[in-house]
Amino acid sequence: LILAGAGSGKTRVITTRIAHLLKERLAGPSEILAVTFTNKAAEEMRERVGQLVGSKLAKEIALSTFHSFCVRVLREEIVHLGYRRNFTISTESDARTLLRRSLDDFDGHKDGFDAGIYLQEIGAMKSSGVEPEKYRKAKANESAAKQEYGKWLLDVYERYQSALRAANSVDFDDLLLLTLRLWRERPRILARYQQQFKYVMVDEYQDTNRVQYGMLIALAEKHRNLCVVGDDD
């Protein structure tokens, strides 16, 4: 765990560490995974690694956002969760449309409810690793308005997920949640990824949510080479 402030060279730590692992033959490029949080940051990291080890080697490293890495896993393995490999990824606009349709199924009970609030709540639940079957009730100390939404949240969440599933589609948060679920339900699949990635690195570690943390711990369990850099402020 490496903690340092903005502009102090955290990303450089990751890129030079990758170069060191390759130079010292501690790992091949396909045995290294480095993840961050935006496509721009991932591309910048790849460029920096390329400057140190050459662009050819840099292209062989799994260096991406968490979500892109999960897409790669799910394109290969999502059939084990009952989806087809050609699943689509819903945009925020698609997700709002599906959620509004889910609300329409409640015979006017939720007239005037904001679909955006439900999407926000469902996103927060998914980021915490909560799937519909694990959801029980709204927290007692929530505001009256939030409790009003909370009364329907489980039903809306379940119908929204059913609509996604029927369309062979996943939303952005599902990419993470389904990958973690896949690994928990299919230990042999997880074991393959554990075996492959000897070294796992994370930039901007302070931005990880509970699901991403669970993925990292699962993935690094075999080799126990997990290096993260972040700003704790």
Side-chain angles (χ1 to χ4, degrees), residues 72-125:
R72 170 183 160 178
V73 172
L74 293 174
R75 286 290 177 210
E76 293 294 322
E77 315 289 357
I78 201 168
V79 291
H80 298 289
L81 297 177
Y83 292 80
R84 298 187 301 278
R85 281 196 178 94
N86 63 341
F87 66 89
T88 58
I89 302 170
S90 291
T91 63
E92 186 173 345
S93 174
D94 295 333
R96 279 178 181 272
T97 300
L98 275 179
L99 201 128
R100 285 194 193 99
R101 287 177 188 163
S102 300
L103 288 173
D104 288 343
D105 291 338
F106 283 89
D107 302 324
H109 282 300
K110 284 168 231 34
D111 285 345
F113 275 23
D114 185 347
I117 290 179
Y118 275 117
L119 266 185
Q120 202 171 29
E121 288 297 306
I122 289 169
M125 290 168 73

Side-chain angles (χ1 to χ4, degrees), residues 45-64:
M45 198 185 297
R46 189 177 297 281
E47 285 177 17
R48 291 199 202 183
V49 172
Q51 290 168 2
L52 295 170
V53 303
S55 58
K56 185 179 178 182
L57 268 184
K59 285 178 183 176
E60 296 178 36
I61 300 167
L63 203 163
S64 67

Side-chain angles (χ1 to χ4, degrees), residues 83 102 122 126 132 156-166 169 171 174 178:
Y83 292 80
S102 300
I122 289 169
K126 288 183 178 182
V156 173
Y157 188 0
E158 286 179 332
R159 292 190 187 211
Y160 170 66
Q161 285 303 113
S162 293
L164 282 171
R165 186 74 173 261
S169 187
D171 66 19
D174 283 330
L178 289 175

